[in-house]
Amino acid sequence: DVKVTQSSRYLVKRTGEKVFLECVQDMDHENMFWYRQDPGLGLRLIYFSYDVKMKEKGDIPEGYSVSREKKERFSLILESASTNQTSMYLCASSETAVSGNTIYFGEGSWLTVV
Amino acid sequence: KQEVTQIPAALSVPEGENLVLNCSFTDSAIYNLQWFRQDPGKGLTSLLLIQSSQREQTSGRLNASLDKSSGRSTLYIAASQPGDSATYLCAVRPGNRDDKIIFGKGTRLHILP
């Protein structure tokens, strides 16, 4: 079975802290994504990556950065956490569109910034 | 710009009924369309993937159809059960080099026992 693993399910952080959310996939997928999900707003794309050391901004990249040093790992970084970044964060991976394959999601990370 | 809409946002149906969830998209040039299920507080689980060349896909009590020309997809659930209660999202993979997948906001389904 394809597995996308988000290392932290629940986190509580203080305003101004640097936060790392880690995601690992075991299917050798080229593409990896970070979304946040908020009530009434649906899933919003923060960053995505087509390949190692490659990153592209999504729809809401402000306040976030990412790192992809290895193909299987995609990290989301909140440089200085703020209360408006309290949300559910979802990592996903997929093959390229040419192969037409599905996208797989992790279980999500609930982040509360106080 | 591709937009994906799911109406209604919420739906309650008595157990045992057949039901249809709707998804519409504005640009018919897509690679594929995917339906997901999300339980409260959890990630998304893929239900069905329809390639752009296909008209429908089936898995158990679920059947998803795709009409690209009209920009519509439906998810049909037969003989609904309380365990089907969840939020259902559809997502479109655009037909260009850009691999960004675009999601609808979902329909929250409640099956009444």
Side-chain angles (χ1 to χ4, degrees), chain A residues 49-93:
Chain A
S49 169
Y50 290 137
D51 204 347
V52 176
K53 296 191 186 296
M54 179 275 173
K55 60 186 178 184
E56 291 280 346
K57 293 180 180 179
D59 300 319
I60 51 163
E62 296 79 18
Y64 303 94
S65 63
V66 290
S67 171
R68 194 165 181 201
E69 295 296 318
K70 294 184 177 182
K71 191 174 185 179
E72 67 271 18
R73 187 180 296 270
F74 193 37
S75 303
L76 180 69
I77 303 156
L78 287 66
E79 297 290 344
S80 177
S82 63
T83 54
N84 63 11
Q85 292 178 310
T86 291
S87 186
M88 164 97 146
Y89 290 87
L90 289 162
C91 175
S93 74

Side-chain angles (χ1 to χ4, degrees), chain A residues 37 94-95 97 100-102, chain B residues 34 36 38 42 51 93 99:
Chain A
Q37 187 177 33
S94 74
E95 293 188 7
N101 275 339
T102 190
Chain B
Q34 195 165 355
F36 294 87
Q38 185 177 29
K42 297 290 185 70
Q51 304 292 358
R93 195 158 210 177
D99 274 322

Side-chain angles (χ1 to χ4, degrees), chain A residues 9 31 35 37 40 43 45 48 50 88 90 94-95 97 100-103 105-107 110, chain B residues 31-32 34 36 38 41-44 46 49 51 89 93 96-101 103 105:
Chain A
R9 285 281 284 143
N31 300 334
Y35 293 88
Q37 187 177 33
L43 274 85
L45 182 63
F48 62 104
Y50 290 137
M88 164 97 146
L90 289 162
S94 74
E95 293 188 7
N101 275 339
T102 190
I103 181 169
F105 280 84
E107 281 291 288
W110 285 95
Chain B
Y31 266 121
N32 61 41
Q34 195 165 355
F36 294 87
Q38 185 177 29
K42 297 290 185 70
L44 279 69
S46 178
L49 173 73
Q51 304 292 358
L89 296 95
R93 195 158 210 177
N96 55 26
R97 180 63 181 86
D98 190 342
D99 274 322
K100 284 189 284 188
I101 296 166
F103 286 84
K105 291 184 179 180

Side-chain angles (χ1 to χ4, degrees), chain A residues 14-26:
Chain A
R14 295 194 181 277
T15 300
E17 276 193 75
K18 190 168 186 176
V19 181
F20 293 86
L21 299 179
E22 306 286 346
C23 175
V24 176
Q25 50 96 0
D26 65 359

Side-chain angles (χ1 to χ4, degrees), chain B residues 51-109:
Chain B
Q51 304 292 358
S52 61
S53 59
Q54 298 174 323
R55 296 281 293 181
E56 64 178 342
Q57 282 287 329
T58 298
S59 176
R61 294 183 295 108
L62 305 180
N63 176 276
S65 69
L66 175 64
D67 183 345
K68 279 200 314 177
S69 61
S70 66
R72 295 178 64 181
S73 175
T74 61
L75 179 67
Y76 174 84
I77 303 177
S80 58
Q81 303 170 358
D84 295 330
S85 297
T87 297
Y88 292 81
L89 296 95
C90 70
V92 164
R93 195 158 210 177
N96 55 26
R97 180 63 181 86
D98 190 342
D99 274 322
K100 284 189 284 188
I101 296 166
I102 301 163
F103 286 84
K105 291 184 179 180
T107 294
R108 191 170 64 253
L109 176 65

